[in-house]
């Protein structure tokens, strides 16, 4: 059962999200919070698998709350939800440690899919958002070749998987490219994240472009 914490200052929004999520077998909402400060306490108390976090709230906004939750090591991957399609929110959310970003205008099925993905340990970025992440990551000159010392810890196959992750490929797509099982790919992804000290695959995408492992058009 995937346990979800809902954080939004509007009770009607929380009710709507609860109705959508609990219509899906295997998802239950274990708590709600109307601001970021309460969200921190609830995250520590309830240990949810996924935290659906609004950006703009009174008392403490979702960006501050996400940073505090990640810093304190609370359970739960954070899915940022906002009505504002703004790059500053996106990159501040990613910097704070969020594992996914979804507009509130998304379809109900997209919310369910996003929660399911984060609960499974996968980050969530739409292709459009991935493009913007890449553009921001390579806004400074790229290194001529990968030089990060952490790369020495990766096996050749893990490096190959990292390059495919950086393209936005899913585990099933990577498995097809490499002719291996999806479970094997998931193990490689988990191992490379651990070796690089990266929280999730979204931040692996950013890391790969910032460190020259992947290049735009390459």
């Amino acid at each position: 059962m995937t346990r979800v914490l809902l954080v939004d200052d509007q009770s009607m929004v929380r009710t709507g999200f609860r109705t959508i999520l609990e219509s899906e077998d295997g998802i239950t909402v274990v708590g709600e919070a109307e601001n970021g400060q309460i969200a921190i306490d609830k995250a520590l108390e309830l240990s949810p698998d996924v935290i659906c976090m609004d950006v703009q709230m009174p008392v403490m906004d979702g960006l501050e709350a996400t940073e505090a939750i990640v810093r304190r090591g609370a359970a739960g991957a954070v899915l940022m939800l906002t009505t504002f399609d703004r790059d500053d929110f996106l990159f501040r959310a990613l910097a704070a440690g969020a594992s996914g970003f979804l507009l509130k205008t998304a379809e109900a099925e997209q919310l369910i899919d996003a929660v399911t993905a984060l609960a499974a340990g996968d980050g969530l970025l739409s292709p459009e958002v991935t493009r913007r992440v890449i553009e921001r990551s390579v806004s400074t000159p790229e290194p001529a070749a990968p030089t990060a010392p952490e790369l020495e810890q990766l096996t050749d196959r893990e490096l190959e998987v990292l390059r495919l992750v950086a393209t936005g490929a899913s585990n099933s797509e990577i498995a097809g490219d490499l002719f291996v099982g999806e479970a094997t790919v998931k193990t490689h992804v988990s191992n490379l994240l651990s070796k690089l000290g990266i929280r999730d695959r979204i931040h692996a995408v950013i890391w790969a472009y910032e460190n020259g492992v992947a290049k735009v058009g390459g």
Side-chain angles (χ1 to χ4, degrees), residues 91 94-95 132-151 162 166 198 202-216:
F91 290 104
L94 292 175
R132 285 152 62 183
V133 168
I134 291 171
E135 287 176 351
R136 174 68 65 91
S137 298
V138 299
S139 60
T140 56
E142 301 175 12
T147 57
E150 294 91 341
L151 289 171
L162 176 59
I198 298 172
I202 287 179
H203 293 85
V205 172
I206 297 172
W207 192 94
Y209 281 93
E210 288 180 338
N211 288 279
V213 173
K215 300 180 187 296
V216 175

PDB file of all heavy atoms in Angstrom, residues 91 94-95 132-151 162 166 198 202-216:
ATOM      1  N   PHE A  91      13.251  24.780 -10.506  1.00  0.00           N
ATOM      2  CA  PHE A  91      14.632  24.556 -10.123  1.00  0.00           C
ATOM      3  C   PHE A  91      14.858  24.713  -8.623  1.00  0.00           C
ATOM      4  O   PHE A  91      15.707  24.037  -8.045  1.00  0.00           O
ATOM      5  CB  PHE A  91      15.555  25.478 -10.936  1.00  0.00           C
ATOM      6  CG  PHE A  91      15.611  25.080 -12.387  1.00  0.00           C
ATOM      7  CD1 PHE A  91      14.932  25.796 -13.348  1.00  0.00           C
ATOM      8  CD2 PHE A  91      16.310  23.956 -12.780  1.00  0.00           C
ATOM      9  CE1 PHE A  91      14.957  25.420 -14.674  1.00  0.00           C
ATOM     10  CE2 PHE A  91      16.347  23.559 -14.104  1.00  0.00           C
ATOM     11  CZ  PHE A  91      15.661  24.288 -15.054  1.00  0.00           C
ATOM     12  N   LEU A  94      13.705  21.310  -7.269  1.00  0.00           N
ATOM     13  CA  LEU A  94      14.713  20.279  -7.497  1.00  0.00           C
ATOM     14  C   LEU A  94      15.906  20.473  -6.571  1.00  0.00           C
ATOM     15  O   LEU A  94      16.440  19.508  -6.023  1.00  0.00           O
ATOM     16  CB  LEU A  94      15.164  20.298  -8.953  1.00  0.00           C
ATOM     17  CG  LEU A  94      14.115  19.866  -9.988  1.00  0.00           C
ATOM     18  CD1 LEU A  94      14.659  20.053 -11.394  1.00  0.00           C
ATOM     19  CD2 LEU A  94      13.687  18.431  -9.757  1.00  0.00           C
ATOM     20  N   ALA A  95      16.322  21.717  -6.392  1.00  0.00           N
ATOM     21  CA  ALA A  95      17.444  22.006  -5.496  1.00  0.00           C
ATOM     22  C   ALA A  95      17.101  21.645  -4.059  1.00  0.00           C
ATOM     23  O   ALA A  95      17.977  21.230  -3.288  1.00  0.00           O
ATOM     24  CB  ALA A  95      17.830  23.484  -5.598  1.00  0.00           C
ATOM     25  N   ARG A 132      13.907  21.495 -20.089  1.00  0.00           N
ATOM     26  CA  ARG A 132      14.278  22.717 -19.384  1.00  0.00           C
ATOM     27  C   ARG A 132      15.371  22.450 -18.354  1.00  0.00           C
ATOM     28  O   ARG A 132      16.267  23.279 -18.149  1.00  0.00           O
ATOM     29  CB  ARG A 132      13.034  23.311 -18.711  1.00  0.00           C
ATOM     30  CG  ARG A 132      12.124  23.990 -19.724  1.00  0.00           C
ATOM     31  CD  ARG A 132      10.678  23.986 -19.328  1.00  0.00           C
ATOM     32  NE  ARG A 132      10.415  24.698 -18.093  1.00  0.00           N
ATOM     33  CZ  ARG A 132       9.213  24.756 -17.538  1.00  0.00           C
ATOM     34  NH1 ARG A 132       8.194  24.146 -18.102  1.00  0.00           N
ATOM     35  NH2 ARG A 132       9.025  25.431 -16.428  1.00  0.00           N
ATOM     36  N   VAL A 133      15.329  21.295 -17.717  1.00  0.00           N
ATOM     37  CA  VAL A 133      16.383  20.929 -16.772  1.00  0.00           C
ATOM     38  C   VAL A 133      17.722  20.822 -17.495  1.00  0.00           C
ATOM     39  O   VAL A 133      18.751  21.324 -17.026  1.00  0.00           O
ATOM     40  CB  VAL A 133      16.054  19.599 -16.067  1.00  0.00           C
ATOM     41  CG1 VAL A 133      17.266  19.070 -15.307  1.00  0.00           C
ATOM     42  CG2 VAL A 133      14.890  19.785 -15.106  1.00  0.00           C
ATOM     43  N   ILE A 134      17.703  20.166 -18.643  1.00  0.00           N
ATOM     44  CA  ILE A 134      18.934  20.003 -19.411  1.00  0.00           C
ATOM     45  C   ILE A 134      19.478  21.358 -19.863  1.00  0.00           C
ATOM     46  O   ILE A 134      20.673  21.635 -19.762  1.00  0.00           O
ATOM     47  CB  ILE A 134      18.689  19.079 -20.624  1.00  0.00           C
ATOM     48  CG1 ILE A 134      18.429  17.646 -20.149  1.00  0.00           C
ATOM     49  CG2 ILE A 134      19.893  19.099 -21.570  1.00  0.00           C
ATOM     50  CD1 ILE A 134      17.966  16.716 -21.239  1.00  0.00           C
ATOM     51  N   GLU A 135      18.586  22.214 -20.353  1.00  0.00           N
ATOM     52  CA  GLU A 135      19.021  23.532 -20.815  1.00  0.00           C
ATOM     53  C   GLU A 135      19.666  24.319 -19.679  1.00  0.00           C
ATOM     54  O   GLU A 135      20.682  24.981 -19.866  1.00  0.00           O
ATOM     55  CB  GLU A 135      17.825  24.303 -21.377  1.00  0.00           C
ATOM     56  CG  GLU A 135      17.357  23.795 -22.723  1.00  0.00           C
ATOM     57  CD  GLU A 135      16.105  24.516 -23.210  1.00  0.00           C
ATOM     58  OE1 GLU A 135      15.511  25.277 -22.413  1.00  0.00           O
ATOM     59  OE2 GLU A 135      15.732  24.322 -24.380  1.00  0.00           O
ATOM     60  N   ARG A 136      19.066  24.253 -18.492  1.00  0.00           N
ATOM     61  CA  ARG A 136      19.642  24.964 -17.346  1.00  0.00           C
ATOM     62  C   ARG A 136      20.982  24.340 -16.933  1.00  0.00           C
ATOM     63  O   ARG A 136      21.926  25.045 -16.605  1.00  0.00           O
ATOM     64  CB  ARG A 136      18.655  24.934 -16.180  1.00  0.00           C
ATOM     65  CG  ARG A 136      19.211  25.526 -14.869  1.00  0.00           C
ATOM     66  CD  ARG A 136      19.428  27.034 -14.974  1.00  0.00           C
ATOM     67  NE  ARG A 136      18.178  27.750 -15.147  1.00  0.00           N
ATOM     68  CZ  ARG A 136      17.450  28.225 -14.126  1.00  0.00           C
ATOM     69  NH1 ARG A 136      17.859  28.052 -12.886  1.00  0.00           N
ATOM     70  NH2 ARG A 136      16.330  28.877 -14.362  1.00  0.00           N
ATOM     71  N   SER A 137      21.044  23.013 -16.983  1.00  0.00           N
ATOM     72  CA  SER A 137      22.249  22.318 -16.537  1.00  0.00           C
ATOM     73  C   SER A 137      23.439  22.595 -17.433  1.00  0.00           C
ATOM     74  O   SER A 137      24.579  22.563 -16.987  1.00  0.00           O
ATOM     75  CB  SER A 137      21.993  20.802 -16.469  1.00  0.00           C
ATOM     76  OG  SER A 137      20.986  20.505 -15.531  1.00  0.00           O
ATOM     77  N   VAL A 138      23.169  22.852 -18.706  1.00  0.00           N
ATOM     78  CA  VAL A 138      24.273  23.080 -19.639  1.00  0.00           C
ATOM     79  C   VAL A 138      24.377  24.547 -20.025  1.00  0.00           C
ATOM     80  O   VAL A 138      24.956  24.886 -21.042  1.00  0.00           O
ATOM     81  CB  VAL A 138      24.133  22.206 -20.910  1.00  0.00           C
ATOM     82  CG1 VAL A 138      24.159  20.754 -20.546  1.00  0.00           C
ATOM     83  CG2 VAL A 138      22.872  22.565 -21.677  1.00  0.00           C
ATOM     84  N   SER A 139      23.855  25.431 -19.193  1.00  0.00           N
ATOM     85  CA  SER A 139      23.932  26.860 -19.484  1.00  0.00           C
ATOM     86  C   SER A 139      25.355  27.382 -19.316  1.00  0.00           C
ATOM     87  O   SER A 139      25.702  28.436 -19.798  1.00  0.00           O
ATOM     88  CB  SER A 139      22.983  27.646 -18.574  1.00  0.00           C
ATOM     89  OG  SER A 139      23.311  27.446 -17.209  1.00  0.00           O
ATOM     90  N   THR A 140      26.197  26.617 -18.621  1.00  0.00           N
ATOM     91  CA  THR A 140      27.614  26.935 -18.497  1.00  0.00           C
ATOM     92  C   THR A 140      28.400  25.992 -19.402  1.00  0.00           C
ATOM     93  O   THR A 140      27.903  24.915 -19.753  1.00  0.00           O
ATOM     94  CB  THR A 140      28.085  26.771 -17.041  1.00  0.00           C
ATOM     95  OG1 THR A 140      27.786  25.447 -16.593  1.00  0.00           O
ATOM     96  CG2 THR A 140      27.363  27.765 -16.141  1.00  0.00           C
ATOM     97  N   PRO A 141      29.607  26.350 -19.805  1.00  0.00           N
ATOM     98  CA  PRO A 141      30.375  25.493 -20.711  1.00  0.00           C
ATOM     99  C   PRO A 141      30.541  24.081 -20.157  1.00  0.00           C
ATOM    100  O   PRO A 141      30.803  23.884 -18.971  1.00  0.00           O
ATOM    101  CB  PRO A 141      31.723  26.217 -20.798  1.00  0.00           C
ATOM    102  CG  PRO A 141      31.396  27.642 -20.505  1.00  0.00           C
ATOM    103  CD  PRO A 141      30.303  27.604 -19.486  1.00  0.00           C
ATOM    104  N   GLU A 142      30.373  23.096 -21.020  1.00  0.00           N
ATOM    105  CA  GLU A 142      30.526  21.709 -20.614  1.00  0.00           C
ATOM    106  C   GLU A 142      32.008  21.338 -20.531  1.00  0.00           C
ATOM    107  O   GLU A 142      32.816  21.807 -21.309  1.00  0.00           O
ATOM    108  CB  GLU A 142      29.846  20.785 -21.630  1.00  0.00           C
ATOM    109  CG  GLU A 142      28.372  21.034 -21.808  1.00  0.00           C
ATOM    110  CD  GLU A 142      27.793  20.177 -22.918  1.00  0.00           C
ATOM    111  OE1 GLU A 142      28.496  19.248 -23.371  1.00  0.00           O
ATOM    112  OE2 GLU A 142      26.663  20.443 -23.327  1.00  0.00           O
ATOM    113  N   PRO A 143      32.367  20.449 -19.597  1.00  0.00           N
ATOM    114  CA  PRO A 143      33.746  19.954 -19.572  1.00  0.00           C
ATOM    115  C   PRO A 143      34.030  19.146 -20.835  1.00  0.00           C
ATOM    116  O   PRO A 143      33.124  18.567 -21.429  1.00  0.00           O
ATOM    117  CB  PRO A 143      33.774  19.069 -18.320  1.00  0.00           C
ATOM    118  CG  PRO A 143      32.343  18.713 -18.066  1.00  0.00           C
ATOM    119  CD  PRO A 143      31.539  19.881 -18.535  1.00  0.00           C
ATOM    120  N   ALA A 144      35.268  19.134 -21.258  1.00  0.00           N
ATOM    121  CA  ALA A 144      35.621  18.428 -22.486  1.00  0.00           C
ATOM    122  C   ALA A 144      35.352  16.939 -22.368  1.00  0.00           C
ATOM    123  O   ALA A 144      35.023  16.267 -23.332  1.00  0.00           O
ATOM    124  CB  ALA A 144      37.101  18.665 -22.809  1.00  0.00           C
ATOM    125  N   ALA A 145      35.504  16.384 -21.171  1.00  0.00           N
ATOM    126  CA  ALA A 145      35.286  14.958 -20.939  1.00  0.00           C
ATOM    127  C   ALA A 145      34.889  14.770 -19.490  1.00  0.00           C
ATOM    128  O   ALA A 145      35.197  15.605 -18.642  1.00  0.00           O
ATOM    129  CB  ALA A 145      36.558  14.171 -21.255  1.00  0.00           C
ATOM    130  N   PRO A 146      34.194  13.671 -19.188  1.00  0.00           N
ATOM    131  CA  PRO A 146      33.816  13.421 -17.797  1.00  0.00           C
ATOM    132  C   PRO A 146      35.046  13.342 -16.897  1.00  0.00           C
ATOM    133  O   PRO A 146      35.989  12.606 -17.180  1.00  0.00           O
ATOM    134  CB  PRO A 146      33.108  12.062 -17.872  1.00  0.00           C
ATOM    135  CG  PRO A 146      32.648  11.944 -19.291  1.00  0.00           C
ATOM    136  CD  PRO A 146      33.702  12.641 -20.098  1.00  0.00           C
ATOM    137  N   THR A 147      35.062  14.120 -15.838  1.00  0.00           N
ATOM    138  CA  THR A 147      36.229  14.145 -14.956  1.00  0.00           C
ATOM    139  C   THR A 147      35.881  13.932 -13.485  1.00  0.00           C
ATOM    140  O   THR A 147      36.774  13.878 -12.650  1.00  0.00           O
ATOM    141  CB  THR A 147      36.964  15.497 -15.085  1.00  0.00           C
ATOM    142  OG1 THR A 147      36.039  16.555 -14.771  1.00  0.00           O
ATOM    143  CG2 THR A 147      37.506  15.693 -16.496  1.00  0.00           C
ATOM    144  N   ALA A 148      34.602  13.852 -13.145  1.00  0.00           N
ATOM    145  CA  ALA A 148      34.215  13.714 -11.739  1.00  0.00           C
ATOM    146  C   ALA A 148      34.825  12.448 -11.150  1.00  0.00           C
ATOM    147  O   ALA A 148      34.708  11.363 -11.732  1.00  0.00           O
ATOM    148  CB  ALA A 148      32.700  13.673 -11.611  1.00  0.00           C
ATOM    149  N   PRO A 149      35.482  12.549  -9.999  1.00  0.00           N
ATOM    150  CA  PRO A 149      36.123  11.377  -9.392  1.00  0.00           C
ATOM    151  C   PRO A 149      35.137  10.274  -9.051  1.00  0.00           C
ATOM    152  O   PRO A 149      35.504   9.091  -9.016  1.00  0.00           O
ATOM    153  CB  PRO A 149      36.797  11.945  -8.143  1.00  0.00           C
ATOM    154  CG  PRO A 149      36.087  13.238  -7.864  1.00  0.00           C
ATOM    155  CD  PRO A 149      35.693  13.771  -9.198  1.00  0.00           C
ATOM    156  N   GLU A 150      33.866  10.629  -8.813  1.00  0.00           N
ATOM    157  CA  GLU A 150      32.868   9.615  -8.475  1.00  0.00           C
ATOM    158  C   GLU A 150      32.674   8.595  -9.593  1.00  0.00           C
ATOM    159  O   GLU A 150      32.266   7.453  -9.350  1.00  0.00           O
ATOM    160  CB  GLU A 150      31.513  10.278  -8.172  1.00  0.00           C
ATOM    161  CG  GLU A 150      31.500  11.148  -6.933  1.00  0.00           C
ATOM    162  CD  GLU A 150      31.851  12.590  -7.244  1.00  0.00           C
ATOM    163  OE1 GLU A 150      32.443  12.850  -8.321  1.00  0.00           O
ATOM    164  OE2 GLU A 150      31.519  13.458  -6.423  1.00  0.00           O
ATOM    165  N   LEU A 151      32.988   9.004 -10.835  1.00  0.00           N
ATOM    166  CA  LEU A 151      32.786   8.109 -11.970  1.00  0.00           C
ATOM    167  C   LEU A 151      33.668   6.866 -11.885  1.00  0.00           C
ATOM    168  O   LEU A 151      33.335   5.819 -12.450  1.00  0.00           O
ATOM    169  CB  LEU A 151      33.068   8.849 -13.277  1.00  0.00           C
ATOM    170  CG  LEU A 151      32.028   9.904 -13.685  1.00  0.00           C
ATOM    171  CD1 LEU A 151      32.520  10.704 -14.870  1.00  0.00           C
ATOM    172  CD2 LEU A 151      30.702   9.227 -14.009  1.00  0.00           C
ATOM    173  N   LEU A 162      23.629   5.142 -16.745  1.00  0.00           N
ATOM    174  CA  LEU A 162      23.541   6.553 -16.381  1.00  0.00           C
ATOM    175  C   LEU A 162      23.332   7.414 -17.616  1.00  0.00           C
ATOM    176  O   LEU A 162      22.521   8.353 -17.606  1.00  0.00           O
ATOM    177  CB  LEU A 162      24.809   6.991 -15.640  1.00  0.00           C
ATOM    178  CG  LEU A 162      24.905   8.482 -15.279  1.00  0.00           C
ATOM    179  CD1 LEU A 162      23.734   8.912 -14.392  1.00  0.00           C
ATOM    180  CD2 LEU A 162      26.245   8.767 -14.582  1.00  0.00           C
ATOM    181  N   ALA A 166      20.033   9.734 -18.415  1.00  0.00           N
ATOM    182  CA  ALA A 166      20.149  11.160 -18.730  1.00  0.00           C
ATOM    183  C   ALA A 166      19.337  11.559 -19.954  1.00  0.00           C
ATOM    184  O   ALA A 166      19.009  12.731 -20.127  1.00  0.00           O
ATOM    185  CB  ALA A 166      21.615  11.542 -18.935  1.00  0.00           C
ATOM    186  N   ILE A 198      23.532  10.412  -4.987  1.00  0.00           N
ATOM    187  CA  ILE A 198      22.428  11.168  -5.586  1.00  0.00           C
ATOM    188  C   ILE A 198      21.110  10.598  -5.097  1.00  0.00           C
ATOM    189  O   ILE A 198      20.940   9.374  -5.011  1.00  0.00           O
ATOM    190  CB  ILE A 198      22.508  11.107  -7.123  1.00  0.00           C
ATOM    191  CG1 ILE A 198      23.808  11.748  -7.616  1.00  0.00           C
ATOM    192  CG2 ILE A 198      21.315  11.795  -7.754  1.00  0.00           C
ATOM    193  CD1 ILE A 198      24.065  11.565  -9.073  1.00  0.00           C
ATOM    194  N   ILE A 202      16.063  11.950 -11.193  1.00  0.00           N
ATOM    195  CA  ILE A 202      15.990  13.327 -11.677  1.00  0.00           C
ATOM    196  C   ILE A 202      17.316  14.033 -11.447  1.00  0.00           C
ATOM    197  O   ILE A 202      17.872  14.681 -12.332  1.00  0.00           O
ATOM    198  CB  ILE A 202      14.863  14.100 -10.976  1.00  0.00           C
ATOM    199  CG1 ILE A 202      13.506  13.641 -11.494  1.00  0.00           C
ATOM    200  CG2 ILE A 202      15.012  15.604 -11.197  1.00  0.00           C
ATOM    201  CD1 ILE A 202      12.345  14.327 -10.845  1.00  0.00           C
ATOM    202  N   HIS A 203      17.829  13.891 -10.237  1.00  0.00           N
ATOM    203  CA  HIS A 203      19.097  14.544  -9.926  1.00  0.00           C
ATOM    204  C   HIS A 203      20.271  13.839 -10.613  1.00  0.00           C
ATOM    205  O   HIS A 203      21.313  14.450 -10.847  1.00  0.00           O
ATOM    206  CB  HIS A 203      19.289  14.609  -8.409  1.00  0.00           C
ATOM    207  CG  HIS A 203      18.281  15.516  -7.743  1.00  0.00           C
ATOM    208  ND1 HIS A 203      17.031  15.088  -7.384  1.00  0.00           N
ATOM    209  CD2 HIS A 203      18.334  16.835  -7.430  1.00  0.00           C
ATOM    210  CE1 HIS A 203      16.351  16.098  -6.858  1.00  0.00           C
ATOM    211  NE2 HIS A 203      17.117  17.166  -6.886  1.00  0.00           N
ATOM    212  N   ALA A 204      20.072  12.575 -10.992  1.00  0.00           N
ATOM    213  CA  ALA A 204      21.089  11.891 -11.791  1.00  0.00           C
ATOM    214  C   ALA A 204      21.175  12.512 -13.182  1.00  0.00           C
ATOM    215  O   ALA A 204      22.268  12.643 -13.746  1.00  0.00           O
ATOM    216  CB  ALA A 204      20.762  10.400 -11.899  1.00  0.00           C
ATOM    217  N   VAL A 205      20.030  12.908 -13.745  1.00  0.00           N
ATOM    218  CA  VAL A 205      20.023  13.589 -15.041  1.00  0.00           C
ATOM    219  C   VAL A 205      20.822  14.882 -14.959  1.00  0.00           C
ATOM    220  O   VAL A 205      21.698  15.157 -15.791  1.00  0.00           O
ATOM    221  CB  VAL A 205      18.570  13.894 -15.495  1.00  0.00           C
ATOM    222  CG1 VAL A 205      18.579  14.774 -16.739  1.00  0.00           C
ATOM    223  CG2 VAL A 205      17.811  12.601 -15.764  1.00  0.00           C
ATOM    224  N   ILE A 206      20.533  15.669 -13.926  1.00  0.00           N
ATOM    225  CA  ILE A 206      21.239  16.939 -13.751  1.00  0.00           C
ATOM    226  C   ILE A 206      22.729  16.696 -13.574  1.00  0.00           C
ATOM    227  O   ILE A 206      23.567  17.357 -14.203  1.00  0.00           O
ATOM    228  CB  ILE A 206      20.667  17.695 -12.535  1.00  0.00           C
ATOM    229  CG1 ILE A 206      19.191  18.039 -12.770  1.00  0.00           C
ATOM    230  CG2 ILE A 206      21.474  18.967 -12.262  1.00  0.00           C
ATOM    231  CD1 ILE A 206      18.493  18.603 -11.556  1.00  0.00           C
ATOM    232  N   TRP A 207      23.073  15.727 -12.718  1.00  0.00           N
ATOM    233  CA  TRP A 207      24.481  15.423 -12.440  1.00  0.00           C
ATOM    234  C   TRP A 207      25.198  14.999 -13.725  1.00  0.00           C
ATOM    235  O   TRP A 207      26.332  15.423 -13.980  1.00  0.00           O
ATOM    236  CB  TRP A 207      24.571  14.307 -11.394  1.00  0.00           C
ATOM    237  CG  TRP A 207      25.940  14.104 -10.824  1.00  0.00           C
ATOM    238  CD1 TRP A 207      26.459  14.638  -9.680  1.00  0.00           C
ATOM    239  CD2 TRP A 207      26.992  13.287 -11.389  1.00  0.00           C
ATOM    240  NE1 TRP A 207      27.751  14.219  -9.488  1.00  0.00           N
ATOM    241  CE2 TRP A 207      28.111  13.394 -10.522  1.00  0.00           C
ATOM    242  CE3 TRP A 207      27.095  12.493 -12.519  1.00  0.00           C
ATOM    243  CZ2 TRP A 207      29.293  12.726 -10.754  1.00  0.00           C
ATOM    244  CZ3 TRP A 207      28.297  11.831 -12.775  1.00  0.00           C
ATOM    245  CH2 TRP A 207      29.371  11.952 -11.890  1.00  0.00           C
ATOM    246  N   ALA A 208      24.544  14.178 -14.536  1.00  0.00           N
ATOM    247  CA  ALA A 208      25.180  13.673 -15.750  1.00  0.00           C
ATOM    248  C   ALA A 208      25.520  14.798 -16.712  1.00  0.00           C
ATOM    249  O   ALA A 208      26.595  14.815 -17.317  1.00  0.00           O
ATOM    250  CB  ALA A 208      24.258  12.655 -16.428  1.00  0.00           C
ATOM    251  N   TYR A 209      24.624  15.767 -16.864  1.00  0.00           N
ATOM    252  CA  TYR A 209      24.884  16.885 -17.779  1.00  0.00           C
ATOM    253  C   TYR A 209      25.897  17.862 -17.198  1.00  0.00           C
ATOM    254  O   TYR A 209      26.744  18.401 -17.913  1.00  0.00           O
ATOM    255  CB  TYR A 209      23.583  17.604 -18.134  1.00  0.00           C
ATOM    256  CG  TYR A 209      22.802  16.858 -19.195  1.00  0.00           C
ATOM    257  CD1 TYR A 209      21.821  15.948 -18.841  1.00  0.00           C
ATOM    258  CD2 TYR A 209      23.074  17.055 -20.550  1.00  0.00           C
ATOM    259  CE1 TYR A 209      21.115  15.245 -19.819  1.00  0.00           C
ATOM    260  CE2 TYR A 209      22.388  16.361 -21.520  1.00  0.00           C
ATOM    261  CZ  TYR A 209      21.409  15.451 -21.153  1.00  0.00           C
ATOM    262  OH  TYR A 209      20.726  14.752 -22.117  1.00  0.00           O
ATOM    263  N   GLU A 210      25.817  18.090 -15.903  1.00  0.00           N
ATOM    264  CA  GLU A 210      26.756  19.024 -15.277  1.00  0.00           C
ATOM    265  C   GLU A 210      28.186  18.492 -15.288  1.00  0.00           C
ATOM    266  O   GLU A 210      29.145  19.261 -15.287  1.00  0.00           O
ATOM    267  CB  GLU A 210      26.326  19.319 -13.843  1.00  0.00           C
ATOM    268  CG  GLU A 210      25.095  20.192 -13.738  1.00  0.00           C
ATOM    269  CD  GLU A 210      24.682  20.475 -12.303  1.00  0.00           C
ATOM    270  OE1 GLU A 210      25.063  19.689 -11.398  1.00  0.00           O
ATOM    271  OE2 GLU A 210      23.984  21.480 -12.078  1.00  0.00           O
ATOM    272  N   ASN A 211      28.332  17.156 -15.307  1.00  0.00           N
ATOM    273  CA  ASN A 211      29.663  16.565 -15.212  1.00  0.00           C
ATOM    274  C   ASN A 211      30.143  15.967 -16.528  1.00  0.00           C
ATOM    275  O   ASN A 211      31.128  15.218 -16.550  1.00  0.00           O
ATOM    276  CB  ASN A 211      29.675  15.493 -14.107  1.00  0.00           C
ATOM    277  CG  ASN A 211      29.606  16.110 -12.728  1.00  0.00           C
ATOM    278  OD1 ASN A 211      30.608  16.568 -12.169  1.00  0.00           O
ATOM    279  ND2 ASN A 211      28.398  16.157 -12.164  1.00  0.00           N
ATOM    280  N   GLY A 212      29.448  16.298 -17.623  1.00  0.00           N
ATOM    281  CA  GLY A 212      29.937  15.894 -18.935  1.00  0.00           C
ATOM    282  C   GLY A 212      29.702  14.455 -19.313  1.00  0.00           C
ATOM    283  O   GLY A 212      30.200  13.994 -20.340  1.00  0.00           O
ATOM    284  N   VAL A 213      28.940  13.711 -18.505  1.00  0.00           N
ATOM    285  CA  VAL A 213      28.646  12.320 -18.852  1.00  0.00           C
ATOM    286  C   VAL A 213      27.690  12.263 -20.035  1.00  0.00           C
ATOM    287  O   VAL A 213      27.771  11.387 -20.883  1.00  0.00           O
ATOM    288  CB  VAL A 213      28.035  11.587 -17.630  1.00  0.00           C
ATOM    289  CG1 VAL A 213      27.572  10.188 -18.022  1.00  0.00           C
ATOM    290  CG2 VAL A 213      29.041  11.516 -16.492  1.00  0.00           C
ATOM    291  N   ALA A 214      26.778  13.235 -20.077  1.00  0.00           N
ATOM    292  CA  ALA A 214      25.835  13.344 -21.189  1.00  0.00           C
ATOM    293  C   ALA A 214      25.938  14.740 -21.781  1.00  0.00           C
ATOM    294  O   ALA A 214      26.239  15.693 -21.078  1.00  0.00           O
ATOM    295  CB  ALA A 214      24.411  13.062 -20.711  1.00  0.00           C
ATOM    296  N   LYS A 215      25.683  14.835 -23.059  1.00  0.00           N
ATOM    297  CA  LYS A 215      25.756  16.120 -23.744  1.00  0.00           C
ATOM    298  C   LYS A 215      24.498  16.296 -24.591  1.00  0.00           C
ATOM    299  O   LYS A 215      23.949  15.329 -25.098  1.00  0.00           O
ATOM    300  CB  LYS A 215      27.001  16.211 -24.630  1.00  0.00           C
ATOM    301  CG  LYS A 215      28.321  16.070 -23.882  1.00  0.00           C
ATOM    302  CD  LYS A 215      29.483  16.177 -24.840  1.00  0.00           C
ATOM    303  CE  LYS A 215      30.820  15.875 -24.128  1.00  0.00           C
ATOM    304  NZ  LYS A 215      31.097  16.873 -23.095  1.00  0.00           N
ATOM    305  N   VAL A 216      24.054  17.508 -24.739  1.00  0.00           N
ATOM    306  CA  VAL A 216      22.895  17.790 -25.577  1.00  0.00           C
ATOM    307  C   VAL A 216      23.199  17.362 -27.004  1.00  0.00           C
ATOM    308  O   VAL A 216      24.231  17.749 -27.571  1.00  0.00           O
ATOM    309  CB  VAL A 216      22.541  19.296 -25.535  1.00  0.00           C
ATOM    310  CG1 VAL A 216      21.416  19.586 -26.520  1.00  0.00           C
ATOM    311  CG2 VAL A 216      22.147  19.703 -24.135  1.00  0.00           C
TER     312      VAL A 216
END
